[in-house]
Amino acid sequence: MKKLLFSQQNNQRHWVGDGFPVRTIFTYNDLAKDISPFLLMDYAGPVEFPPSKHVRGVEEHPHRGFETVTLAYQGEVAHRDSSGGGGLIKSGDVQWMTAASGLVHEEMHGKEFSERGGLFEMVQLWVNLPKKDKMTSPRYQGIQATDIPNVNLPDNGGYVRVIAGDYDGHRGPAKTFTPINLWDIRMTAGHSATFKVPAGHTAAVFVLGGKVQLGTGETIGEAELAVLEKEGDTFTLSARQDAKVLFLGGEPIDEPIVGYGPFVMNSIGEIKQAFIDFQEGRMGSFERTAENK
Ligand code: MN
């Protein structure tokens, strides 16, 4: 059974644009080795937005060298990017956007959600790409809740939504560049479940709501991340309360990480090049996309 390496929490919220009141749960600056291939995690909300004619969000900005994965728990996010990708994700949907060689995008609340108002809760992960794939073409996967297998845990203990990878023989729909397991786990208070994962992979448990106890005894509460050791191929969770848990697993990418702002590459030279390419319009823009149509 995997042991707990450490757990951490961040209760400081900051705004990303005017749409996302986030707690940054980890970044590659502090956790690179322990959490690879994941680079960053922002947890937005849960927060109640009043009805508004103004659509909140983050205006046009670039990315290069990795993927942004947005999980909509409550509320709506509308996305469009300069490679032509775009769509609206709603509660239960996932947007898996591969920035790779570079694009500019905007991330806004859905128009209907803005007008209606309501509870908003999202997770955004940044997932690293191996060096050989950092300069491939951008890709957009809009994954609907109905595309995500929903697998019951034993004894009516809850269920697992398999977003990426494999849980108990059920494969998730997300296409990934390296092996990743991303599971949205819901557990009912008083129930336990043991999860099998590949030995040697990164494994971390993030609790969005409720409280779980690890098989090794430690209790993990709301907005807390538990990073498990890579050794071993099982971990057990016992729900002390009804719990909403995100499992992050994957094969570590053992390559240098050099990042600055919206770019994550392998060297400083590549970061400088990313700024030049963005400034010279080589990551595209919406105007340019419109002209090309
Ligand atoms: Mn972005």
Side-chain angles (χ1 to χ4, degrees):
M1 186 186 290
K2 286 175 174 289
K3 292 194 186 80
L4 176 68
L5 281 182
F6 57 88
S7 65
Q8 65 181 41
Q9 256 174 323
N10 176 13
N11 289 315
Q12 297 275 8
R13 286 181 203 236
H14 66 274
W15 283 90
V16 176
D18 69 357
F20 306 93
V22 307
R23 287 173 272 186
T24 296
I25 304 302
F26 64 81
T27 77
Y28 57 89
N29 292 319
D30 45 82
L31 288 194
K33 275 221 157 42
D34 297 315
I35 204 80
S36 175
F38 304 99
L39 293 167
L40 176 146
M41 178 176 172
D42 274 347
Y43 178 35
V47 71
E48 178 85 23
F49 282 100
S52 169
K53 289 218 175 343
H54 167 69
V55 177
R56 291 165 171 265
V58 198
E59 306 283 340
E60 190 172 337
H61 61 279
H63 291 296
R64 172 180 277 180
F66 59 98
E67 303 181 288
T68 64
V69 177
T70 308
L71 290 77
Y73 285 91
Q74 303 180 84
E76 300 175 355
V77 174
H79 161 93
R80 66 179 180 133
D81 69 56
S82 57
S83 77
L88 179 70
I89 56 166
K90 299 182 177 189
S91 181
D93 299 341
V94 175
Q95 173 199 93
W96 200 295
M97 189 200 78
T98 307
S101 63
L103 46 66
V104 297
H105 75 160
E106 63 174 23
E107 299 159 275
M108 309 299 288
H109 289 193
K111 192 165 178 295
E112 274 181 32
F113 172 79
S114 299
E115 286 168 359
R116 192 171 67 238
L119 260 182
F120 188 89
E121 186 181 26
M122 303 268 152
V123 164
Q124 186 169 88
L125 292 162
W126 289 14
V127 177
N128 206 3
L129 291 171
K131 184 177 175 59
K132 68 176 179 54
D133 295 316
K134 279 184 179 286
M135 293 300 284
T136 56
S137 298
R139 178 169 79 184
Y140 180 86
Q141 300 175 71
I143 301 168
Q144 309 268 304
T146 48
D147 298 332
I148 299 173
N150 199 320
V151 187
N152 285 327
L153 291 170
D155 306 320
N156 296 319
Y159 59 90
V160 176
R161 298 175 67 238
V162 190
I163 298 163
D166 179 285
Y167 167 74
D168 199 24
H170 300 266
R171 280 209 70 79
K175 295 190 192 80
T176 65
F177 285 79
T178 57
I180 286 171
N181 282 311
L182 189 63
W183 304 336
D184 172 13
I185 304 171
R186 310 300 171 99
M187 294 186 73
T188 307
H191 286 263
S192 297
T194 295
F195 300 87
K196 197 164 174 0
V197 291
H201 281 201
T202 290
V205 167
F206 179 67
V207 176
L208 290 92
K211 195 179 278 183
V212 298
Q213 188 171 17
L214 299 173
T216 46
E218 302 87 351
T219 299
I220 309 298
E222 224 159 84
E224 190 171 4
L225 177 82
V227 179
L228 310 180
E229 64 181 3
K230 293 185 176 64
E231 295 75 26
D233 65 355
T234 60
F235 66 95
T236 298
L237 300 178
S238 301
R240 294 294 165 231
Q241 302 166 356
D242 284 353
K244 183 158 77 171
V245 173
L246 182 63
F247 173 72
L248 314 173
E251 185 179 87
I253 298 172
D254 188 19
E255 293 172 349
I257 297 174
V258 180
Y260 192 90
F263 308 129
V264 183
M265 302 298 290
N266 303 110
S267 70
I268 289 177
E270 289 168 330
I271 293 295
K272 288 181 178 162
Q273 190 61 49
F275 276 96
I276 293 167
D277 289 348
F278 170 56
Q279 279 157 8
E280 294 185 352
R282 283 194 285 269
M283 295 186 190
S285 69
F286 295 138
E287 290 73 23
R288 206 167 290 241
T289 305
E291 272 170 23
N292 291 346
K293 271 181 183 163

